[in-house]
Amino acid sequence: MSDKVTQMPAFVTGRSDTRAPFVATGLGLVMVLLTLWFTAGVPGAALGIAVAVISLLLSPPIGFAFAQAGLLAVFPDGLALVAFLLVEWSLLLTLFASLVRSPAPAQTLGMGLASLLGLTSFARLLALETGSAVTGAVFVLGGVGAVLYTIHRFERVELGLTEVSN
Amino acid sequence: MDVTRRFWVLAAMGVFLAAVSVRFERPFLLVGAAGIGAWLIATQYAFAWTLVRFDDMVQISQAVSPERGFTTQQFHVTLSVSAADRLPYPVDVSIQPPPSVTGIDDEPVECRLSPADDKATVTGTFRSPVAGRVRFDSPTVYIADTFGLFQESFRRGDPTTATVEPPQPTDVRVGHGDVASVSEGTYPIPQGGESLVFRSLREYVPTDPANRIDWRATARLAEPQVLEFERQTDHRVEIVIDRRREMTVGDPGRTKLDYCRAVALSFVDGLEQSRDPTGLLVFDDDGVVTVRDPRSNREWYKLLRTLLHDQVDSSLAADAAGSGLHPSVGELALPDAGARARKYLATDRTDFGRSILPFAGTERPLPAQTTDDSLFSTVEMLSKRLSGPVVTAIFTDDSRPVKTRESVKLARRGEGQVVVFLTPTVLFEPQALDDVESVYERYRSFESFRRELDRLRGVSAHEVSPGGRSDAVRAAVEYHQ
């Protein structure tokens, strides 16, 4: 019985496997390289290699941001929907794979994905409704700031570091 | 929680992607901004998830040892951190010493509980040069997330305190030969006659006996009134304390003077209970340094204790002996300064003036020193200042037996009584117990001197010594015999 308990996955025990993040990130980077090569040829492959190096040397979020900026150079006329979905999916996979290192991977991944879906969906909706990309961008930045501040306040109150009324 | 520079770098990247998305009309870049934002939210959530469960996962305790000690002593504070479950992040916990203590190691005392450990302990050594209650606040916890984006510090665990006292004798023996004069804190105070004197008139309360009702006052004030009396003795007590260089013999905090002060303080406690008017006279090698006329109100006894703490101090005696000057304890410690201050304050009708007038000392000028022995000249001055029966309590040592004997005889004048508290020098010297035979001979000389004084009419002489050393000398001699 005890063996079964120790074999439970990380999202149940709340513990993270030290090898899992590296495997997931490695797989994600390979997928980024392949999809960029497939969609943009040699320039895409070069970008994929650069993204992999930056992600491993610095951190996956920085590699992710670099990849987004790189897409602007590799696809100066914009991306087709299929290419966009393939590239972004592999980039997001690489980004969120690093969250497996967090203390509660299942909850953390769920929170990350829910935030991403909520932010992009409502940003697109607002942009379409108002006909302005600025509205969508402001919503994304404002939404992220609001959620970060809410979690910060929740933590302060739970730890007794501030009064609820404050 | 606090954010780090790395967080701001990522946040700036998200803002940059959003701005570029708008500037170049590329919506996919907004997905990049949202992706970074979502990743930041997820990592912050994971960190907060750990923090709110911190109290369930980690136990922090600290203890100080000893809980009661002296300023010369070292205190050890032990900090223990234990985890009920494996921690996701390393936790640093540090002790928070108050500003008044000094760390012997001069490094912050902290311990780290890493995810692989379930317990960590560290002990810090401190010393408090300031007496009082030393409070170590709750330990500070510092924790940072895996990605280096967030950090938090807060207090957990209970504070702990230690009581630090100035070095003082703890084994005072007041003996009368082989018999201890002191039992359960009672000190040899000569008893005089006593009487009840009227103190106040107050309204009757149901718990008062009916026979205490004063019917005249009741008729006059139309409410039942009772009279209150207090006991008053008819003898005055003058405490004379020797603060000469010889009284500084002994280890720091355990000199002859320190033992005399401890006994004098207890002596004052007994005098306060019987409300005996008590005066104080402190002298050193140069003559009288403090003089206060006998009084018996409650504030006076409080002041008397303060004076005993301030004036009967080995460091002052050593300073005065070393410099040849009076100790610098403020001008009011000097007799002529006290008289000057009293004269000035007598005309001061302000609250301040009235409040400090009792501290200004005697209004009578002190006579000049007439002999080469300051104890004798002090007692001589005392006999001229006070008339009527006086109980004189002299705290001194055995270093000048002839002069001491003459001084005691002078203090006894008329129907007066003298209580002498003598400290045997031999029991205070640092190497006192090295040569037991020699020590015993010197101790016998002391004892014979004490008995000689004790045989004088109206004189009671007591030994004040460290109980441990006194017992050790007796035990060693018995062993050799």
Side-chain angles (χ1 to χ4, degrees):
Chain A
M1 184 67 185
S2 59
D3 288 339
K4 287 183 180 176
V5 171
T6 55
Q7 292 301 314
M8 280 184 175
F11 64 86
V12 175
T13 61
R15 298 175 182 178
S16 54
D17 184 347
T18 51
R19 290 171 304 173
F22 301 105
V23 173
T25 303
L27 284 174
L29 288 173
V30 170
M31 287 196 67
V32 167
L33 178 63
L34 292 175
T35 49
L36 282 172
W37 191 8
F38 176 71
T39 53
V42 176
L47 177 63
I49 291 169
V51 168
V53 170
I54 290 173
S55 297
L56 293 174
L57 288 183
L58 299 174
S59 70
I62 294 176
F64 176 79
F66 177 79
Q68 301 295 332
L71 289 178
L72 195 62
V74 174
F75 299 101
D77 301 324
L79 282 87
L81 183 61
V82 176
F84 168 76
L85 289 176
L86 276 174
V87 170
E88 286 296 346
W89 184 81
S90 59
L91 285 173
L92 288 170
L93 178 70
T94 310
L95 178 68
F96 286 104
S98 61
L99 293 178
V100 180
R101 289 162 62 192
S102 68
Q107 292 96 319
T108 308
L109 275 171
M111 186 64 156
L113 290 173
S115 303
L116 178 69
L117 285 174
L119 288 169
T120 50
S121 308
F122 277 100
R124 177 165 175 75
L125 196 63
L126 278 172
L128 289 175
E129 285 293 322
T130 59
S132 166
V134 175
T135 316
V138 168
F139 173 79
V140 168
L141 297 178
V144 170
V147 175
L148 288 175
Y149 183 72
T150 303
I151 296 172
H152 163 74
R153 291 293 299 174
F154 169 74
E155 176 261 339
R156 301 281 295 179
V157 171
E158 282 292 309
L159 282 180
L161 301 177
T162 186
E163 296 295 328
V164 179
S165 57
N166 290 342
Chain B
M1 75 181 68
D2 300 320
V3 294
T4 64
R5 189 168 162 272
R6 182 176 285 190
F7 171 89
W8 288 117
V9 168
L10 289 178
M13 285 181 176
V15 173
F16 173 77
L17 289 176
V20 171
S21 161
V22 173
R23 173 68 181 81
F24 294 100
E25 295 178 351
R26 292 286 186 274
F28 71 85
L29 289 178
L30 200 56
V31 176
I36 289 180
W39 190 84
L40 288 176
I41 289 171
T43 50
Q44 190 196 28
Y45 169 80
F47 188 52
W49 185 88
T50 304
L51 289 180
V52 297
R53 283 160 181 77
F54 183 84
D55 290 336
D56 298 332
M57 291 192 291
V58 179
Q59 292 290 319
I60 297 172
S61 64
Q62 61 176 350
V64 61
S65 172
E67 291 182 349
R68 207 173 186 89
F70 300 110
T71 49
T72 52
Q73 200 172 341
Q74 289 184 355
F75 290 82
H76 303 285
V77 183
T78 303
L79 174 67
S80 299
V81 186
S82 59
D85 198 358
R86 208 175 102 181
L87 293 170
Y89 311 117
V91 175
D92 293 308
V93 186
S94 58
I95 289 173
Q96 297 301 307
S100 63
V101 305
T102 53
I104 302 297
D105 306 330
D106 282 333
E107 286 176 7
V109 181
E110 59 185 21
C111 64
R112 164 168 282 214
L113 191 65
S114 59
D117 303 328
D118 59 357
K119 191 169 185 180
T121 303
V122 67
T123 300
T125 306
F126 300 94
R127 180 174 284 165
S128 175
V130 181
R133 283 178 71 79
V134 175
R135 178 187 159 97
F136 291 84
D137 279 336
S138 300
T140 297
V141 177
Y142 174 82
I143 187 167
D145 81 315
T146 316
F147 300 100
L149 300 172
F150 305 99
Q151 57 193 20
E152 184 62 282
S153 63
F154 49 89
R155 299 284 182 85
R156 279 299 182 270
D158 294 327
T160 185
T161 57
T163 303
V164 184
E165 296 171 346
Q168 59 187 3
T170 51
D171 58 343
V172 181
R173 177 181 185 273
V174 181
H176 201 252
D178 287 339
V179 182
S181 308
V182 181
S183 65
E184 296 177 2
T186 56
Y187 280 78
I189 303 168
Q191 298 298 312
E194 62 179 38
S195 58
L196 287 175
V197 294
F198 170 74
R199 194 177 78 181
S200 64
L201 187 70
R202 65 166 173 80
E203 276 193 24
Y204 172 83
V205 291
T207 52
D208 289 326
N211 61 4
R212 286 185 58 195
I213 296 175
D214 183 74
W215 295 109
R216 289 183 186 174
T218 300
R220 193 168 62 248
L221 299 172
E223 291 287 341
Q225 302 288 319
V226 295
L227 296 175
E228 285 203 319
F229 297 89
E230 67 180 14
R231 194 175 60 155
Q232 193 174 66
T233 57
D234 60 0
H235 64 254
R236 290 171 296 170
V237 179
E238 189 74 32
I239 296 174
V240 179
I241 297 188
D242 183 351
R243 206 181 75 182
R244 288 178 290 190
R245 189 180 59 250
E246 292 83 359
M247 295 296 283
T248 62
V249 173
D251 294 330
R254 299 170 64 85
T255 64
K256 287 192 271 188
L257 200 56
D258 293 321
Y259 275 75
C260 281
R261 181 183 59 226
V263 175
L265 285 166
S266 299
F267 193 67
V268 168
D269 290 344
L271 293 170
E272 184 180 12
Q273 283 176 12
S274 56
R275 300 300 292 271
D276 291 322
T278 307
L280 175 68
L281 222 151
V282 182
F283 68 95
D284 64 10
D285 294 287
D286 298 321
V288 175
V289 290
T290 301
V291 57
R292 295 290 188 275
D293 279 343
R295 289 174 206 155
S296 60
N297 56 59
R298 203 164 292 280
E299 290 71 28
W300 164 243
Y301 290 110
K302 202 182 290 180
L303 173 62
L304 191 55
R305 287 190 192 90
T306 306
L307 284 169
L308 284 171
H309 278 293
D310 292 347
Q311 298 287 307
V312 185
D313 188 286
S314 296
S315 60
L316 295 176
D319 289 348
S323 65
L325 298 171
H326 281 286
S328 55
V329 292
E331 267 195 272
L332 289 182
L334 300 174
D336 56 338
R340 277 204 310 275
R342 189 175 183 86
K343 186 178 176 184
Y344 176 78
L345 291 168
T347 59
D348 189 346
R349 298 291 170 220
T350 63
D351 288 344
F352 175 74
R354 280 198 297 272
S355 298
I356 66 168
L357 181 59
F359 297 86
T362 178
E363 60 185 344
R364 282 171 280 185
L366 298 170
Q369 192 170 322
T370 54
T371 70
D372 59 347
D373 184 72
S374 51
L375 172 59
F376 190 85
S377 59
T378 299
V379 173
E380 193 175 34
M381 182 205 77
L382 186 67
S383 64
K384 288 176 183 169
R385 287 178 62 239
L386 300 177
S387 56
V390 176
V391 176
T392 309
I394 300 174
F395 293 80
T396 186
D397 69 346
D398 60 344
S399 54
R400 304 177 200 196
V402 177
K403 292 290 183 186
T404 302
R405 188 187 309 111
E406 294 307 310
S407 303
V408 170
K409 284 180 180 174
L410 180 63
R412 189 189 51 174
R413 71 202 156 69
E415 296 179 358
Q417 296 180 70
V418 181
V419 185
V420 186
F421 293 94
L422 275 178
T423 49
T425 304
V426 65
L427 293 186
F428 286 88
E429 289 170 345
Q431 311 298 328
L433 302 181
D434 287 357
D435 182 356
V436 175
E437 295 297 331
S438 161
V439 168
Y440 187 64
E441 284 308 313
R442 292 174 64 192
Y443 187 67
R444 278 185 59 189
S445 311
F446 164 81
E447 179 58 17
S448 93
F449 174 55
R450 189 200 63 75
R451 286 184 183 175
E452 185 186 338
L453 290 179
D454 200 54
R455 280 195 293 269
L456 294 173
R457 181 180 50 79
V459 176
S460 167
H462 305 266
E463 170 195 331
V464 176
S465 60
R469 286 193 166 189
S470 181
D471 294 342
V473 169
R474 288 194 176 86
V477 169
E478 281 174 17
Y479 176 78
H480 284 291
Q481 285 173 348

